Amino acid sequence: MTGMVYLSRIYTKAGDGGETGLGDGRRVPKDHARVEAFGQVDELNAVLGLVAAYCPDSPDAAFLRTVQNDLFDVGADLCVPAAEGEQPGQCLRVTAAQPERLEQAIDRLNENLSPLRSFILPGGSPAAAWLHLARTVCRRAERAVVSLTHAEAINPQAVIYLNRLSDYLFVLARVANANGAGDVLWVPGQNRTS
């Protein structure tokens, strides 16, 4: 599947009328649920790029690069609607091994963390703050993909991948906060006056 992308021109003017092309050649409005779904995955990938740029020493940096590559796989999967009679391997689809790899990373990172006794306020170290932002963008992307499932069939592994990824980003943010020691905990009702 390598070499499937070739870009000779960046602008084509084909989208000037508010439509874009899907991976199967079909034209749809730019606000189509499928375009919204893979657009949000692209935004998530850009936030992870900010983590890499601004916090190059963040924990698990090399694994985050593999996640960015996986997110292109998710976007490619969402960009090509499933065709009737599609054969395995005919299109790039997210496989069960990809979210399983995230589960293994979560387990590896979570081993050194204390159990939580409260919710965590997003923040702490710069890397943790960026990772919490990535986590929330991931959840939004997941919601967009789930919304798409109400209208069209998609590969269920795409939703599973995003669900596991948001968990991974949460755990990684805790690791970036000195293995949880720098987490800022929510104190319910702390600022109420009555």
Side-chain angles (χ1 to χ4, degrees):
M1 295 223 172
T2 60
M4 63 186 198
V5 176
Y6 176 76
L7 300 173
S8 62
R9 256 181 37 197
I10 300 304
Y11 67 91
T12 62
K13 301 183 182 182
D16 290 352
E19 289 189 341
T20 192
L22 297 179
D24 64 357
R26 190 173 52 156
R27 304 288 297 172
V28 296
K30 289 188 176 189
D31 63 353
H32 187 278
R34 186 172 289 278
V35 178
E36 181 65 25
F38 64 72
Q40 297 219 12
V41 170
D42 188 34
E43 181 181 350
L44 169 59
N45 209 339
V47 174
L48 293 179
L50 288 168
V51 173
Y54 284 100
C55 307
D57 296 328
S58 71
D60 234 18
F63 189 80
L64 273 177
R65 284 293 185 202
T66 69
V67 167
Q68 285 190 282
N69 198 80
D70 282 351
L71 287 173
F72 261 86
D73 290 354
V74 173
D77 189 327
L78 294 170
C79 184
V80 180
E84 198 171 312
E86 180 182 304
Q87 298 300 310
Q90 184 176 343
C91 294
L92 179 60
R93 301 288 180 211
V94 176
T95 68
Q98 289 169 289
E100 287 170 8
R101 202 171 58 248
L102 287 170
E103 291 171 7
Q104 293 165 1
I106 291 166
D107 292 342
R108 171 177 48 83
L109 294 170
N110 206 36
E111 281 179 4
N112 299 317
L113 297 175
S114 299
L116 284 171
R117 291 176 176 35
S118 180
F119 288 109
I120 296 174
L121 301 180
S125 72
W130 281 112
L131 290 163
H132 278 296
L133 176 62
R135 173 186 56 78
T136 63
V137 173
C138 186
R139 287 289 190 203
R140 181 164 31 93
E142 180 186 6
R143 289 190 302 271
V145 174
V146 169
S147 290
L148 175 61
T149 67
H150 299 303
E152 297 185 33
I154 66 151
N155 174 8
Q157 292 300 325
V159 175
I160 294 169
Y161 186 87
L162 293 171
N163 187 270
R164 292 305 177 284
L165 179 55
S166 63
D167 294 335
Y168 167 77
L169 293 170
F170 176 78
V171 170
L172 189 58
R174 293 199 67 211
V175 172
N177 271 338
N179 280 331
D183 286 339
V184 181
L185 299 180
W186 171 48
V187 179
Q190 178 183 28
N191 301 311
R192 291 188 305 179
T193 56
S194 58

